[in-house]
Amino acid sequence: MGIGLSKPALDAGLITREAEPLLAFYVEVFGLERLDPLVLPNIGTIHKLAAGESILRVMVPETLPEPDEAESWSGRTGIRYLTLEVEDVAATVAALEAKGGQVVLPPFELRPGRFVSQATDPDGNMLEIGQG
């Protein structure tokens, strides 16, 4: 058994060249709450969005990153997607398309009562949207 976590949540971080489109997307589509940003001199700015006890961090480093050249979201190792549980997959997908996201896999019933979709945020980060 591990030592244990000090809070019942996981935090995730996204690196971007421009924070505002991502911040607006996650606030307006998923209802995440903006928290005060953290400015780290000579490093960058970390914008924080609350999802319950979890925090989605959107960092703009001082030295802007180069675009990811991977052909597919699953073409590289490491953390490659976020899963977000919602009340209505179809409505969420419509909202995210209106806010600059793109549907990769339209909503479908994976198993009885479980609906899923795959989409990207405005930066191309892969999202798995689930319901039920």
Side-chain angles (χ1 to χ4, degrees):
M1 182 186 311
I3 296 171
L5 298 173
S6 63
K7 78 175 188 179
L10 291 175
D11 295 348
L14 302 175
I15 305 296
T16 188
R17 296 174 66 86
E18 185 179 357
E20 193 52 41
L22 286 181
L23 297 171
F25 177 84
Y26 285 101
V27 167
E28 293 172 18
V29 175
F30 296 102
L32 275 59
E33 175 189 354
R34 285 186 193 229
L35 303 176
D36 291 336
L38 175 62
V39 177
L40 302 169
N42 302 315
I43 296 173
T45 300
I46 300 173
H47 302 269
K48 298 183 277 183
L49 300 169
E53 291 190 43
S54 296
I55 303 293
L56 179 61
R57 301 168 197 277
V58 177
M59 181 181 183
V60 179
E62 286 284 322
T63 302
L64 297 178
E66 295 298 320
D68 184 346
E69 299 298 329
E71 292 182 26
S72 166
W73 65 272
S74 61
R76 297 183 61 174
T77 59
I79 297 172
R80 303 304 298 165
Y81 68 97
L82 298 174
T83 300
L84 298 145
E85 294 295 322
V86 299
E87 294 177 2
D88 185 334
V89 168
T92 300
V93 166
L96 73 82
E97 283 185 298
K99 297 297 180 184
Q102 293 187 343
V103 175
V104 175
L105 184 62
F108 70 98
E109 191 170 21
L110 180 64
R111 60 180 183 271
R114 176 70 176 162
F115 297 89
V116 297
S117 180
Q118 288 181 334
T120 62
D121 68 16
D123 266 14
N125 297 303
M126 182 58 70
L127 307 174
E128 176 184 58
I129 314 298
Q131 171 190 341

